[in-house]
Amino acid sequence: MTIYVCLAAALAAAVVIIYDRLQTARTMDRFEQMLDEAASGRFEVLRYNESRMSSIESRMADYLAAAALSAQELQAERDKIKTLISDIAHQTRTPIANVLLYTQLLLEQELDTDSRECAAALSDQAERLKSLIDTLIKTSRLESGTLDLHPRQGELAPLLTSAAAQFTHAAAEKGLSLTVLPCGDTAVFDLKWTREALCNLLDNAVKYTPSGGKITLSVQPYELFCRVDVCDTGPGIPEQERPRIFQRFYRAENTWESEGVGVGLYLTRQIMECQGGFVKVYSNVGQGSMFSLFLPK
Ligand code: ADP
């Protein structure tokens, strides 16, 4: 008799445990479904009743709805900023081109020394403004996806030599040696835009490396990527600065004396991301920096 009572009790306990497990699994499934729906922006409360589950569900619904709203608002704010930058950039292009033209005409006139210096300074500043605006237009086009890159399999040697050729004069004028090491590798990249990214790195290397220094361009092949390195013997970048130098308008404190606006590396990173690559920096303070473009093979 006792054995039957024990069996019945064990059976009842098993039923209760199984029922409880099933309930828990259903609750978990529902939460999982709610989170999936919230993540895809389709969330709505399905069941309203007096149960505890329903009360938790409705509180979770409020929370998820608020989170979805703030994510949408954040995206809308970002879109507004992008549009604003792009509008300012486009609207200022023509007046700046005109300022440059008139300054050029002024410099062709007979001018006394002071006036010539003023006109030259004006031309210099207008050039800087033009280059900033051009970069902003490029970044906003890359961000909004309105600018197509066409990555193709190609030799890396012409990319390196054509980019380096643009800096031969500036490097020699500053007393820097600029060397391109031989390479026979290929990768998948958009020539025009990758050259722009590489030129940004070379421009920085020339700008920040003191006279007498060395700049070297080389390629290191890996299984999936080819690494294009721009090595310099400049001041280096402190560790805490390194993640920040790729942000828009960020300039390290010790570089305020050199010309620049802090968008070159930001653009470089965007160009690399748009073609399935990435950019990295390695640096030793006081010894130099190495910026590397990783291009897919
Ligand atoms: P910019 O050169 O116009 O300031 P970038 O976006 O190209 O803007 O670079 C951001 C910052 O990164 C620079 O202000 C500088 O502090 C640092 N940096 C970039 N390249 C180098 C380099 N080769 N050596 C030392 N510092 C560098």
Side-chain angles (χ1 to χ4, degrees):
M1 183 67 187
T2 331
I3 200 149
Y4 289 122
V5 172
C6 287
L7 273 175
L11 200 65
V15 169
V16 168
I17 289 170
I18 290 169
Y19 178 75
D20 188 52
R21 289 265 160 92
L22 283 174
Q23 274 297 98
T24 311
R26 244 180 258 139
T27 309
M28 289 301 154
D29 285 350
R30 176 66 194 130
F31 281 149
E32 216 174 304
Q33 185 193 351
M34 286 168 83
L35 289 172
D36 285 346
E37 286 170 4
S40 61
R42 296 180 281 111
F43 178 73
E44 51 185 299
V45 184
L46 298 177
R47 280 168 282 171
Y48 277 112
N49 57 40
E50 296 303 311
S51 71
R52 180 125 188 256
M53 168 70 185
S54 186
S55 129
I56 293 173
E57 190 177 330
S58 102
R59 265 185 271 162
M60 200 161 151
D62 288 346
Y63 172 75
L64 291 173
L69 191 68
S70 51
Q72 276 169 13
E73 282 170 358
L74 197 66
Q75 190 53 45
E77 278 305 312
R78 280 205 190 120
D79 290 346
K80 264 195 226 161
I81 294 172
K82 259 192 238 165
T83 316
L84 185 70
I85 290 178
S86 156
D87 286 351
I88 293 174
H90 283 286
Q91 297 303 325
T92 45
R93 230 180 182 182
T94 315
I96 291 168
N98 285 338
V99 171
L100 273 167
L101 180 73
Y102 288 119
T103 322
Q104 206 50 49
L105 291 175
L106 197 61
L107 281 167
E108 285 166 16
Q109 312 284 318
E110 286 266 319
L111 294 174
D112 59 52
T113 319
D114 283 354
S115 308
R116 183 160 293 279
E117 269 176 18
C118 284
L122 196 62
S123 164
D124 191 41
Q125 293 301 310
E127 280 289 356
R128 284 190 63 193
L129 201 55
K130 182 177 176 300
S131 115
L132 169 64
I133 298 290
D134 284 349
T135 310
L136 287 181
I137 290 177
K138 282 174 207 160
T139 54
S140 78
R141 280 190 186 163
L142 283 167
E143 277 170 352
S144 61
T146 52
L147 209 148
D148 274 353
L149 272 78
H150 301 286
R152 289 197 186 95
Q153 189 86 34
E155 300 268 336
L156 286 168
L159 168 75
L160 268 63
T161 44
S162 62
Q166 297 187 30
F167 292 89
T168 321
H169 180 67
E173 224 180 24
K174 207 175 162 186
L176 301 169
S177 80
L178 176 56
T179 315
V180 181
L181 298 184
C183 92
D185 300 286
T186 63
V188 179
F189 59 99
D190 177 299
L191 179 62
K192 182 178 151 235
W193 284 97
T194 311
R195 185 160 47 215
E196 171 118 18
L198 191 55
C199 285
N200 285 337
L201 301 184
L202 277 166
D203 187 43
N204 282 343
V206 171
K207 194 160 63 175
Y208 297 115
T209 307
S211 179
K214 266 175 70 176
I215 299 169
T216 314
L217 262 116
S218 59
V219 172
Q220 178 70 45
Y222 290 102
E223 200 180 330
L224 296 175
F225 285 90
C226 263
R227 201 184 77 195
V228 177
D229 296 330
V230 178
C231 243
D232 68 50
T233 55
I237 303 160
E239 201 176 344
Q240 69 276 15
E241 300 258 9
R242 278 176 229 158
R244 297 158 76 191
I245 57 175
F246 293 96
Q247 291 168 8
R248 187 170 10 210
F249 299 126
Y250 183 80
R251 304 203 69 209
E253 277 174 25
N254 59 348
T255 49
W256 288 110
E257 284 172 12
S258 337
E259 290 207 346
V261 281
V263 286
L265 289 180
Y266 177 74
L267 179 63
T268 300
R269 194 180 61 177
Q270 270 189 318
I271 293 172
M272 294 312 291
E273 283 174 3
C274 284
Q275 53 183 342
F278 56 101
V279 52
K280 279 190 108 172
V281 60
Y282 310 86
S283 189
N284 275 323
V285 176
Q287 290 176 31
S289 312
M290 181 172 93
F291 282 86
S292 301
L293 301 179
F294 287 80
L295 296 164
K297 274 185 148 179

